Amino acid sequence: MAETTDKKLSGAGLRGQSAGETALSTVGKSGSGLTYRGYDVKDLAENASFEEVAFLILYGELPTQLELDNYRAKLKGLRGLPQALKEVLERIPANAHPMDVLRTGCSMLGNLETEHSFADQFDVTNRMLAVFPSIICYWYRFSHDGVRIETETDDEQIGAHFLHLLHGKAPSALHARVMDVSLILYAEHEFNASTFTARVCASTLSDMHSCVTGAIGSLRGPLHGGANEAAMELIQDMRDEQHARDVLAGMLERKEKIMGFGHAIYRESDPRNAIIKEWSEKLAKEYGDDRLYRVSVACEAFMWEQKKLFCNADFFHASAYHFMGIPTKLFTPIFVCSRVSGWTAHVMEQRSNNRIIRPSADYVGVELRSVTPISERG
Ligand SMILES: CC(=O)SCCNC(=O)CCNC(=O)[C@H](O)C(C)(C)COP(=O)(O)OP(=O)(O)OC[C@H]1O[C@@H](n2cnc3c(N)ncnc32)[C@H](O)[C@@H]1OP(=O)(O)O
Ligand SMILES: O=C([O-])CC(=O)C(=O)O
């Protein structure tokens, strides 16, 4: 079980300090590990689908079969893109980063389908959950292949729907399942940087699209969600296990950060890693070339041996996504398609018991002084 230790607390990065309460998840808590509303993430990844998990996170309990059927039908009906949003997406160049596309897409949606009142919060949330795969794939396929795709598919599940839009055909059962598990693993993670961004924004009583747009910006960085793409860039040229060790040794020697390793809360392991690693191994077998899986395993062993650093949720996602034919730059946007469930639930939780988030700072600048007339400066 992944647990925290008594890490030295310091003000930097607010590490180790509680910044509020949540009933949504526990992260690295002794005896419970990673749970969403009390359910172990492993249990959910084995026995539930992403739509059930999103429902759980947003509404508090796992759905009954009828509730799940209705929820899936509702989400399916919300996949279409407004014409004005399509036009905006068509103007974004192919060399844009898809996270920037998603940030713009979310913001534009907020102009077209504004959350006028908090009474609309579930509606705007479900719309975002349903439409984010459409936004990213519409832009990707238009800018890269010159085609205007139909974003409404018959797929029951968001993960399969994403792959369908991306590849123009329904995915295999294995790929659909891995996407589903991946979305479950990424759905919620307490007060991580992007969620905290969303909550800070929510605490000013801002609208849901602003909260989520800000969160997308925070997730984009390589120290957070962007690490899955950075991990892919790291492993893609590793020829074999020995080469992987040599590359990492050089990076450690140069004191470079190895993306996909380490965590702000977990100390010994990230419970999501073992799950996605197992799926990556299955995908490698099906793919027929397991080099990326093997070098990833070698990286994991080497980093633990050298630095006691472990793979976080992002590392084996890199090879898993690659084996499913997903372009590297779409890795972090998939994280968004999942984490939007957690972000919006946190916004709702913040709103339900709000006080504006406004910490203090320790001033380290110059002492009080008076303005010198401009003619006397220099
Ligand atoms: C889904 C997610 O967002 S998971 C996180 C994804 N991000 C990454 O994979 C980026 C790489 N990892 C990191 O940069 C860090 O581990 C973070 C940002 C995740 C956590 O940062 P922190 O809480 O500051 O890390 P922590 O306090 O455990 O660091 C301890 C030491 O290990 C080093 N360290 C931590 N992670 C790494 C790493 N991946 N590569 C090299 N060194 C590392 C730190 O530099 C630090 O060294 P120092 O004491 O000499 O300064
Ligand atoms: O909790 C964190 O700091 C980062 C993380 O793993 C996540 O957001 O999934």
Side-chain angles (χ1 to χ4, degrees):
M1 169 109 4
E3 289 183 6
T4 52
T5 55
D6 293 333
K7 193 174 173 184
K8 186 174 170 294
L9 305 188
S10 78
L14 296 175
R15 192 70 74 262
Q17 299 169 31
S18 172
E21 295 181 339
T22 184
L24 295 171
S25 62
T26 60
V27 170
K29 187 165 175 252
S30 180
S32 56
L34 174 57
T35 61
Y36 301 165
R37 293 205 187 265
Y39 294 100
D40 192 310
V41 72
K42 188 167 184 295
D43 197 3
L44 291 168
E46 279 168 12
N47 298 304
S49 64
F50 174 63
E51 293 74 24
E52 287 168 83
V53 169
F55 188 99
L56 167 73
I57 292 170
L58 289 165
Y59 297 98
E61 293 296 339
L62 285 168
T64 61
Q65 186 63 55
L66 181 62
E67 284 169 332
L68 177 62
D69 293 346
N70 289 340
Y71 192 49
R72 284 193 172 144
K74 181 203 281 263
L75 293 175
K76 252 170 94 170
L78 294 170
R79 289 174 178 166
L81 291 169
Q83 184 56 30
L85 179 48
K86 286 185 188 170
E87 286 165 18
V88 166
L89 294 173
E90 288 181 15
R91 296 186 71 119
I92 303 178
N95 65 359
H97 193 286
M99 284 296 278
D100 298 343
V101 176
L102 212 38
R103 193 189 58 216
T104 298
C106 179
S107 185
M108 182 65 182
L109 192 70
N111 286 291
L112 300 173
E113 301 174 10
T114 310
E115 185 194 31
H116 293 292
S117 138
F118 291 172
D120 300 337
Q121 63 183 2
F122 281 102
D123 289 342
V124 296
T125 288
N126 287 324
R127 174 69 163 143
M128 282 193 251
L129 256 175
V131 88
F132 278 4
S134 306
I135 291 178
I136 204 63
C137 292
Y138 186 88
W139 167 78
Y140 186 83
R141 297 292 310 282
F142 182 80
S143 61
H144 288 68
D145 305 331
V147 291
R148 290 187 169 92
I149 57 165
E150 177 50 67
T151 59
E152 285 166 88
T153 71
D154 278 343
D155 301 290
E156 289 297 312
Q157 299 194 244
I158 293 174
H161 168 65
F162 181 94
L163 290 176
H164 195 163
L165 293 183
L166 179 64
H167 294 135
K169 59 179 192 330
S172 67
L174 174 64
H175 290 193
R177 181 65 192 133
V178 180
M179 275 302 284
D180 195 40
V181 169
S182 167
L183 295 176
I184 293 172
L185 298 181
Y186 273 147
E188 161 54 17
H189 218 244
E190 199 220 43
F191 277 26
N192 61 84
S194 56
T195 300
F196 197 58
T197 303
R199 285 192 81 126
V200 170
C201 188
S203 82
T204 70
L205 301 184
S206 189
D207 67 290
M208 190 67 88
H209 296 93
S210 295
C211 298
V212 172
T213 303
I216 293 171
S218 287
L219 190 72
R220 185 194 197 295
L223 295 190
H224 193 9
N228 57 15
E229 294 179 28
M232 186 63 214
E233 277 148 25
L234 174 72
I235 62 172
Q236 66 192 0
D237 297 325
M238 291 176 170
R239 293 186 297 276
D240 54 29
E241 288 89 332
Q242 186 53 49
H243 187 216
R245 288 188 282 272
D246 293 345
V247 169
L248 293 181
M251 290 179 77
L252 290 178
E253 176 77 26
R254 294 189 297 277
K255 302 219 170 315
E256 288 171 19
K257 277 262 164 83
I258 320 285
M259 299 309 173
F261 284 87
H263 200 272
I265 305 294
Y266 299 124
R267 294 293 92 203
E268 289 178 355
S269 66
D270 179 331
R272 300 165 294 184
N273 176 52
I275 303 169
I276 194 62
K277 180 181 174 187
E278 204 177 313
W279 284 108
S280 175
E281 185 178 15
K282 287 193 182 117
L283 288 167
K285 287 200 180 106
E286 183 224 43
Y287 189 72
D289 174 1
D290 66 354
R291 174 183 64 90
L292 286 176
Y293 178 75
R294 282 188 291 102
V295 297
S296 298
V297 172
C299 289
E300 182 179 36
F302 185 80
M303 288 295 286
W304 183 253
E305 182 191 297
Q306 297 292 315
K307 301 291 281 182
K308 291 281 170 288
L309 281 169
F310 53 89
C311 297
N312 57 47
D314 281 331
F315 193 69
F316 277 90
H317 261 106
S319 51
Y321 284 169
H322 183 84
F323 292 139
M324 292 192 286
I326 301 171
T328 304
K329 63 184 186 175
L330 296 187
F331 289 5
T332 318
I334 299 174
F335 195 156
V336 174
C337 294
S338 162
R339 184 58 61 87
V340 66
S341 57
W343 290 334
T344 48
H346 275 275
V347 169
M348 295 182 200
E349 190 178 54
Q350 180 68 34
R351 286 173 173 178
S352 70
N353 186 17
N354 188 55
R355 188 175 191 193
I356 191 166
I357 297 174
R358 200 302 185 193
S360 306
D362 297 321
Y363 181 66
V364 294
V366 294
E367 292 304 321
L368 184 65
R369 51 187 172 164
S370 31
V371 176
T372 313
I374 196 161
S375 57
E376 293 170 26
R377 287 178 225 157

